[in-house]
Amino acid sequence: MSNASLSPLPSADRPDVAARLRDALLGASFTADGLLELLGAPAYAALSRSETVPALRATRGDTPLELLVRLFLLQQPVPHARVADVLPVDACLESGWLDRAGDDEVAATVDVRPYGGSDGEDWFIVSDLGCAVGGAGGIGNHAEGVVLGVGGASTTLAGLTVRTPVSAALDLGTGSGIQALHAAAHATRVTATDVNPRALHITALTLALSGAPAADLREGSLYEPVADDETYDLIVSNPPFVISPGARLTYRDGGMGGDDLCRSLVQQTGERLNEGGFAHFLANWQHVEGEDWTDRLRSWVPRGCDAWIVQREVQDVTQYAELWLRDAGDHRGDPAAYQARYDAWLDEFEARKVKAVGFGWITLRRTGAAAPSVVAEEWPHPVEQPLGETVRAHFDRVDYLRSHDDAALLEAHFTLAGEVVQEQVGLPGAEDPEHVVLRQNRGMRRATRVDTVGAGFAGVCDGTMSAGRILDAIAQLVGEDPVALRDRTPAQIRLLVEQGFLEPA
């Protein structure tokens, strides 16, 4: 790896300077809320698309906050004298946060993006110049070892992660350190690995500038820097999951064939998790001719782990190749080279009999259950982030259903989950609906079709009566045999509990 064209990084050995810089940034309201108020929603959203013109127009004044946005987010040189009124400029120059630009201006050596923590913390994500906003944005114009800032994948993974106090957390492929930063808020000890030493350096800067405890930073690919006897309560990874011919870009290309990197990562995780511990991954996987994708993913799950696998998107191989060729900026280069690279991607997919690529989330939980639960589903619909509590509740329901047979379900008491609504579908004016749908307005925002008994049952679940007594009352109301109703309804109750419409009282 060559980092020759990347700028020198600030010193990671000057926590005093990072603390002073943090105080100055907060004092000028250089925060996520401060940016939104200054820029307005359209310009703020444009930054996430790597479009800087609206933000430049919004920062033409001379306030400290406008100065800092131009300096750290928009990479504009600013007057030395003016910066000296806002930042500890000499210390920042000495430690490498700033560099001189001409006789009377200074420029930032790294991007610094304000980022709001899950509990309202004011954090800062450090990344290479031009990489703080909008993901890659044509990253092929940069050196191969570039370190990106916050992108959609980063925030998706952070939102999925179960946030409970833990002793030890591991962030594999830490990048700019956003997952390690989140973990530091609820883990006693955080370990972060990356094959790119520049990423480890930037993670140290992110943690220091955010006022977070330092992490144990280790160089190496995935689990390589982790000792065989080390285990964790939480493991997170936004790995280089792109399925590509070769490994041009460290931040996205894993260097293994097909989806082998994601498969090996998931398979090696079971022995690293403590009992009850969670692992959260983003991943891509191949859709191979003659193979069900769910079977492929189920084969990845290590022994002794429950799993919840959610496929969020599927792209055919041409869409997928074009997405990542554009990500690398190849579409702006030589047309012949672009065509050759496109051909190489399609050749690779053809050789592997891959017809499409799936993207989604994989969550593992270490369990002592004799029969672990593996749920693999497709859910391309909108969800409500953060989903960490929804993920935790899913596995709590797995435990509950695993320990309750049908007879136990009929003795149990349930309540209807919050913000569930009922929709009736049928022809206008019809006496009875053709079918009834229950819909969640929180979390996964699921919808499920139920019969009139299921809808009636869910509607009266307030925790006061057992499921069996409710069914007996419904049977009397509709003139049905209560024994037959008790026999056929537990499967529907089990589904409603599994999907989070009903909660054990």
Side-chain angles (χ1 to χ4, degrees):
M1 179 195 310
S2 173
N3 290 337
S5 64
L6 293 172
S7 64
L9 294 173
S11 171
D13 300 323
R14 294 294 305 274
D16 57 321
V17 177
R20 291 174 63 193
L21 177 56
R22 171 178 171 78
D23 289 343
L25 296 177
L26 294 176
S29 296
F30 188 64
T31 63
D33 289 342
L35 282 185
L36 182 58
E37 183 176 350
L38 170 68
L39 302 178
Y44 189 78
L47 276 179
S48 68
R49 304 189 299 269
S50 295
E51 296 292 350
T52 59
V53 171
L56 285 167
R57 291 173 61 86
T59 56
R60 290 180 290 194
D62 195 38
T63 67
L65 181 54
E66 289 171 303
L67 187 86
L68 294 177
V69 172
R70 290 199 301 272
L71 179 65
F72 284 117
L73 272 184
L74 305 177
Q75 281 79 64
Q76 302 294 306
V78 297
H80 179 284
R82 187 69 188 93
V83 175
D85 294 334
V86 183
L87 302 178
V89 65
D90 292 337
C92 288
L93 285 166
E94 178 190 355
S95 59
W97 288 96
L98 300 176
D99 200 5
R100 294 192 179 276
D103 294 334
D104 58 356
E105 291 186 316
V106 296
T109 57
V110 288
D111 274 331
V112 175
R113 175 177 176 171
Y115 177 76
S118 51
D119 288 326
E121 302 95 338
D122 287 315
W123 290 336
F124 300 97
I125 308 298
V126 180
S127 61
D128 272 313
L129 291 173
C131 300
V133 293
I139 213 67
N141 296 326
H142 296 274
E144 190 269 341
V146 72
V147 179
L148 300 187
V150 179
S154 302
T155 55
T156 293
L157 180 59
L160 285 173
T161 303
V162 175
R163 302 292 176 194
T164 56
V166 296
S167 296
L170 174 63
D171 176 16
L172 293 172
T174 187
S176 60
I178 179 175
Q179 309 305 331
L181 180 58
H182 274 282
H186 62 103
T188 304
R189 176 172 58 89
V190 176
T191 301
T193 73
D194 205 289
V195 70
N196 183 0
R198 189 175 180 87
L200 297 176
H201 190 134
I202 284 181
T203 292
L205 297 175
T206 289
L207 294 172
L209 194 59
S210 298
D216 179 3
L217 304 176
R218 305 182 189 179
E219 183 180 347
S221 177
L222 303 178
Y223 286 113
E224 286 177 5
V226 181
D228 291 341
D229 59 351
E230 289 184 275
T231 56
Y232 298 87
D233 307 298
L234 173 66
I235 298 174
V236 293
S237 184
N238 177 16
F241 54 65
V242 176
I243 300 172
S244 60
R248 293 170 56 204
L249 299 170
T250 302
Y251 78 89
R252 69 170 209 191
D253 300 321
M256 296 186 187
D259 52 17
D260 283 355
L261 182 137
C262 291
R263 176 187 54 78
S264 59
L265 172 61
V266 173
Q267 288 180 337
Q268 293 172 23
T269 295
E271 60 194 29
R272 307 290 188 176
L273 275 178
N274 293 326
E275 184 77 17
F278 284 94
H280 305 273
F281 309 110
L282 301 185
N284 277 181
W285 44 80
Q286 299 173 151
H287 284 229
V288 179
E289 292 180 15
E291 177 186 71
D292 190 305
W293 73 268
T294 62
D295 292 338
R296 184 180 194 85
L297 271 292
R298 288 173 185 276
S299 73
W300 292 8
V301 178
R303 293 180 60 186
C305 286
D306 293 324
W308 186 18
I309 301 160
V310 181
Q311 181 167 270
R312 296 288 290 156
E313 184 180 1
V314 180
Q315 291 185 321
D316 67 49
V317 292
T318 59
Q319 292 174 306
Y320 189 79
E322 290 161 13
L323 169 68
W324 294 109
L325 287 167
R326 290 193 183 99
D327 170 85
D330 292 330
H331 61 302
R332 294 197 293 264
D334 175 38
Y338 174 80
Q339 182 174 342
R341 283 180 173 152
Y342 199 148
D343 266 334
W345 283 68
L346 297 186
D347 285 345
E348 179 84 2
F349 286 133
E350 186 176 334
R352 295 178 176 275
K353 298 184 178 180
V354 175
K355 58 184 180 179
V357 177
F359 167 81
W361 321 321
I362 299 174
T363 298
L364 305 178
R365 185 189 61 167
R366 188 75 184 180
T367 180
S373 164
V374 178
V375 176
E377 61 175 324
E378 186 163 14
W379 191 253
H381 312 293
V383 299
E384 182 190 48
Q385 284 276 32
L387 278 170
E389 181 60 24
T390 299
V391 172
R392 186 199 58 76
H394 167 88
F395 288 94
D396 286 348
R397 294 193 299 271
V398 165
D399 286 340
Y400 179 85
L401 292 173
R402 194 155 43 199
S403 63
H404 287 69
D405 60 15
D406 287 354
L409 282 183
L410 292 175
E411 293 296 321
H413 295 238
F414 299 97
T415 60
L416 187 66
E419 297 197 39
V420 172
V421 297
Q422 175 179 303
E423 300 173 358
Q424 297 187 163
V425 181
L427 293 174
E431 184 174 342
D432 296 313
E434 292 178 14
H435 60 265
V436 179
V437 173
L438 299 182
R439 187 179 302 277
Q440 301 168 350
N441 286 321
R442 302 293 301 273
M444 293 293 286
R445 294 179 171 167
R446 293 188 187 279
T448 191
R449 184 171 172 175
V450 294
D451 60 21
T452 53
V453 170
F457 178 88
V460 298
C461 278
D462 60 4
T464 59
M465 295 173 59
S466 70
R469 288 187 60 196
I470 293 174
L471 291 178
D472 290 344
I474 292 175
Q476 185 175 9
L477 184 65
V478 301
E480 188 168 340
D481 179 9
V483 174
L485 195 61
R486 279 175 173 255
D487 284 344
R488 70 177 174 84
T489 307
Q492 191 168 190
I493 296 174
R494 190 171 293 275
L495 177 65
L496 292 174
V497 173
E498 178 184 315
Q499 295 191 344
F501 290 92
L502 294 179
E503 298 174 347

